[in-house]
Amino acid sequence: MGTNDGGHRARAVAALAKRDYVTAADEYTRAGWRVLAEPRPGQGPFESDERGWVGDGLQYLTAAAVAYRVAGESTRAARRAVEGVAVARDLETGLDVPVQRACLAEFVADFRVAGDTDGAEKAYRDATDAYETLDGLESVHRWATAPLFEAAAATLKQVARGTADGEIAVSWEDIHGSDPADPSRFLGARPRFKRRRFRSLVDRVVDDGHLAAPRGTTEYGNDTYRCPNCDATDVNWVADSVLCLRCSAPMTRS
């Protein structure tokens, strides 16, 4: 079971497929608010949570900020980013483990890039320092694959897909360091990579006027489906939509 977004994420993805980016951003915003209110049944956002499910709410707000910018709604994007920064900092109330706080600092930097507000460089450096000064961190793989950390990588991966013909353009190995035996450096690679790449990727999708849908379950060469936009038969099943893996348009049955 995932988080409780009330179906708004699925509606956001459907709007992305139609290139209706204002609606997509609005629905991502509503998904974020819904998850932030109650991440999972019976779980509040300010409670201690080793998995960090509330991170999905932050991720939807970062995606909303990017979608608003693609739609030309820069003021709304900046507002969403300011909101996201405030929420990420406030969530330290419940996510009080130092490695989780470092991930929240990473989100702060992401919001500044997504909404094109000031201070992203410093925020990424602060996040890097927060990771690299961790002491005695164990089970780094468990932390890196927790929902909070996966959520903090999701918008980066989604944005990058549009620059790579719908393929996986940013991998696990790209985001993390090469040696999990050195946990602080391994996780500290995340904000270092984003500091180098995230802004240019966001700028490119804004210039192109196209934000790809996130990648779900995929299949190549499925002749049952065909893209009416680019004629591809490579399918991306994500949320409630059946989309073209290449251009994110809704697929039609052949």
Side-chain angles (χ1 to χ4, degrees):
M1 180 181 70
T3 47
N4 179 23
D5 63 53
H8 294 296
R9 176 181 179 262
R11 290 191 278 277
V13 170
L16 289 177
K18 298 176 182 177
R19 303 202 177 192
D20 180 356
Y21 295 116
V22 170
T23 298
D26 288 347
E27 291 296 335
Y28 268 130
T29 298
R30 296 178 71 187
W33 290 342
R34 183 68 175 266
V35 172
L36 290 170
E38 187 182 41
R40 285 154 72 88
Q43 180 182 326
F46 305 117
E47 299 169 1
S48 179
D49 173 18
E50 187 176 273
R51 302 297 288 159
W53 289 102
V54 75
D56 280 359
L58 295 175
Q59 190 262 309
Y60 298 147
L61 295 184
T62 60
V66 175
Y68 281 130
R69 286 185 61 196
V70 173
E73 297 283 346
S74 58
T75 299
R76 296 193 72 191
R79 288 171 179 161
R80 201 61 67 236
V82 170
E83 173 189 1
V85 168
V87 172
R89 287 176 169 161
D90 195 47
L91 286 175
E92 291 183 1
T93 302
L95 302 182
D96 54 0
V97 179
V99 67
Q100 292 179 317
R101 291 191 172 204
C103 191
L104 291 174
E106 183 182 331
F107 263 116
V108 167
D110 291 346
F111 278 117
R112 296 191 184 283
V113 171
D116 197 27
T117 61
D118 294 337
E121 284 283 325
K122 181 180 183 302
Y124 278 128
R125 293 184 190 281
D126 289 346
T128 302
D129 289 345
Y131 281 123
E132 294 190 346
T133 56
L134 292 171
D135 185 36
L137 181 65
E138 298 179 356
S139 302
V140 65
H141 188 271
R142 175 173 60 85
W143 286 112
T145 57
L148 178 67
F149 289 79
E150 291 188 335
T155 301
L156 168 69
K157 292 179 177 180
Q158 179 179 350
V159 169
R161 288 190 67 240
T163 69
D165 196 30
E167 295 291 356
I168 298 173
V170 174
S171 68
W172 166 277
E173 291 77 13
D174 293 326
I175 296 173
H176 297 97
S178 58
D179 182 10
D182 185 353
S184 60
R185 293 286 295 176
F186 183 80
L187 294 175
R190 295 167 58 99
R192 287 198 303 272
F193 178 85
K194 289 181 175 180
R195 183 169 58 85
R196 295 193 306 270
R197 294 291 310 281
F198 193 30
R199 183 177 295 279
S200 63
L201 289 168
V202 172
D203 287 346
R204 180 166 171 181
V205 301
V206 171
D207 290 344
D208 290 346
H210 173 55
L211 175 61
R215 188 178 175 110
T217 301
T218 60
E219 183 178 359
Y220 294 85
N222 184 331
D223 291 333
T224 303
Y225 295 96
R226 188 166 298 278
C227 177
N229 183 53
C230 70
D231 208 39
T233 58
D234 302 326
V235 187
N236 180 27
W237 285 274
V238 57
D240 293 336
S241 297
V242 182
L243 305 181
C244 176
L245 178 67
R246 302 303 170 192
C247 69
S248 294
M251 295 291 266
T252 57
R253 284 186 174 272
S254 301

